Amino acid sequence: FLKQIRGVESTEVGYANSIINQPTYQQVCSGETNAAETVKVVYDPETVNLSLLLDLYFKTIDPTSLNRQGNDRGTQYRTGIYYTNKADIAVINQAVRALADQYKKSRRTKFYVEFGPLVNFYPAEEYHQDYLDKNPNGYCHINPALFEMARKANAPKSKVYQKPDDTVLRQQLSAEQYAVTQKNATEP
């Protein structure tokens, strides 16, 4: 999902904050690793900002369910945001609080979004990487319409042609070109 967004340079599925090194999927599912299934996102902050990434991420999760996303259940499916740059804490905190406030206003008081530093990250097995590319009809808890939303969320602004002023055109064009293109003259 997140790799659809312009400015996201790479994504990698893996396990965050495990208490054992290099956990396998089976170990993570056992609940004995304390790992969260996660996606490592590398992005260009000059092209896409963290606030937009968080907003789109929040559209894919249910922050009111504990240890569950869609049909997937277990502590490894808890909702979390794990940062590597302390400068991001304020942005993440503001986004999480705003989301929590939205749910409080709708009287859904239970809110489960873990937020803290990334202690470690271990890439998941290859068959988990780009899962939907490899399995187009595979299960995913994310609504398919959100993928298109992600593609459009940070689309490049189309450039509007700005006609050069008359002085510039006279410098760039020959007298004949100027007369034909700007004064509706005809070629001799």
Side-chain angles (χ1 to χ4, degrees), residues 143-154:
N143 180 330
L146 291 176
F147 286 82
E148 186 62 23
M149 177 191 289
R151 279 189 282 279
K152 292 178 178 178
N154 194 34

Side-chain angles (χ1 to χ4, degrees), residues 165-180:
D165 68 29
D166 197 61
T167 305
V168 171
L169 287 172
R170 287 183 184 274
Q171 291 172 349
Q172 293 179 342
L173 301 173
S174 69
E176 183 178 12
Q177 290 170 328
Y178 181 84
V180 170

Side-chain angles (χ1 to χ4, degrees), residues 10-14 38-42 118 121:
S10 66
T11 60
E12 184 176 27
V13 176
T38 189
V39 177
K40 176 181 176 182
V41 180
V42 177
L118 180 67
F121 175 85

Side-chain angles (χ1 to χ4, degrees), residues 42-91:
V42 177
Y43 66 98
D44 175 4
E46 298 291 321
T47 306
V48 63
N49 65 48
L50 180 57
S51 294
L52 177 62
L53 294 175
L54 290 169
D55 181 55
L56 291 167
Y57 167 67
F58 290 151
K59 292 179 185 331
T60 69
I61 63 167
D62 178 359
T64 65
S65 64
L66 177 63
N67 299 331
R68 177 177 164 208
Q69 292 302 320
N71 295 328
D72 297 321
R73 297 170 191 263
T75 57
Q76 73 273 22
Y77 295 110
R78 64 189 180 272
T79 302
I81 301 168
Y82 311 107
Y83 60 87
T84 57
N85 184 342
K86 288 184 180 182
D88 293 337
I89 293 173
V91 173

Side-chain angles (χ1 to χ4, degrees), residues 125-141:
E125 294 80 355
E126 184 55 36
Y127 68 91
H128 288 291
Q129 306 302 329
D130 299 314
Y131 178 78
L132 291 178
D133 291 342
K134 297 172 186 171
N135 303 282
N137 295 319
Y139 169 74
C140 179
H141 75 275

